[in-house]
Amino acid sequence: MNEIAEKDVINIENMIYEIDGKEVMLDTDLAELYNVETKRVNEAVRNNPDKFPADYMFTMTSEELRDLRSKFSSTKISTKSRVNPKVFTEKGLYMLATILKSKTATNVTFAIIETFTQVRYLKREIVNLHN
């Protein structure tokens, strides 16, 4: 099993956003984590459209993008970009990992999986505290 540093999980946790009730990660953040250009992430999607149905990956609407920018000023979304970013759900991240095959991609995917698991656990704990 790969050892995931707590700081890696915290860094990834800060890259998970909620859009329309779905926890997602931006293509730009994934590219940074995978140490590739954003266009490589989007290229993987473009070359494998059958592997990314709407509940795996979607392109943000302009309204979703404005809302995200207003809620999270730390997002790394260029205001100069001509296209809205793609976002990936947890299932989409697993699929992306099968396409971006590298040692870095494997290690990052382990960290992402651990992070999503911890986020789910924390949400359950919060719900339990409120009941």
Side-chain angles (χ1 to χ4, degrees):
M1 175 72 181
N2 186 17
E3 289 295 319
I4 307 299
E6 188 173 328
K7 70 174 181 55
D8 293 334
V9 171
I10 291 169
N11 289 340
I12 293 169
E13 191 174 321
N14 292 330
M15 296 177 180
I16 298 173
Y17 303 100
E18 190 170 311
I19 298 175
D20 291 334
K22 298 175 185 163
E23 292 177 334
V24 297
M25 292 185 74
L26 297 167
D27 55 1
T28 52
D29 288 337
L30 289 169
E32 180 183 323
L33 290 169
Y34 285 129
N35 200 28
V36 297
E37 294 178 36
T38 304
K39 68 181 180 181
R40 295 295 167 227
V41 171
N42 293 321
E43 190 176 80
V45 172
R46 193 171 44 257
N47 292 339
N48 300 278
D50 55 321
K51 293 185 177 186
F52 294 97
D55 60 332
Y56 281 48
M57 182 280 313
F58 59 93
T59 301
M60 293 177 70
T61 65
S62 295
E63 185 178 327
E64 290 167 337
L65 185 55
R66 274 191 305 275
D67 288 346
L68 185 66
R69 280 188 176 129
S70 70
K71 291 178 189 172
F72 303 98
S73 61
S74 63
T75 58
K76 297 178 194 137
I77 303 170
S78 172
T79 55
K80 296 176 184 176
S81 179
R82 292 174 285 158
V83 295
N84 289 355
K86 289 179 177 50
V87 292
F88 293 79
T89 64
E90 186 174 1
K91 292 186 274 186
L93 295 167
Y94 298 147
M95 189 57 70
L96 186 61
T98 67
I99 297 168
L100 298 175
K101 297 177 183 176
S102 71
K103 181 81 170 150
T104 299
T106 301
N107 290 335
V108 167
T109 301
F110 281 131
I112 291 170
I113 291 168
E114 291 297 323
T115 303
F116 270 93
T117 302
Q118 285 187 4
V119 168
R120 271 195 305 278
Y121 173 77
L122 291 172
K123 280 188 168 187
R124 279 194 305 269
E125 289 298 309
I126 290 169
V127 168
N128 288 337
L129 287 173
H130 289 282
N131 291 335

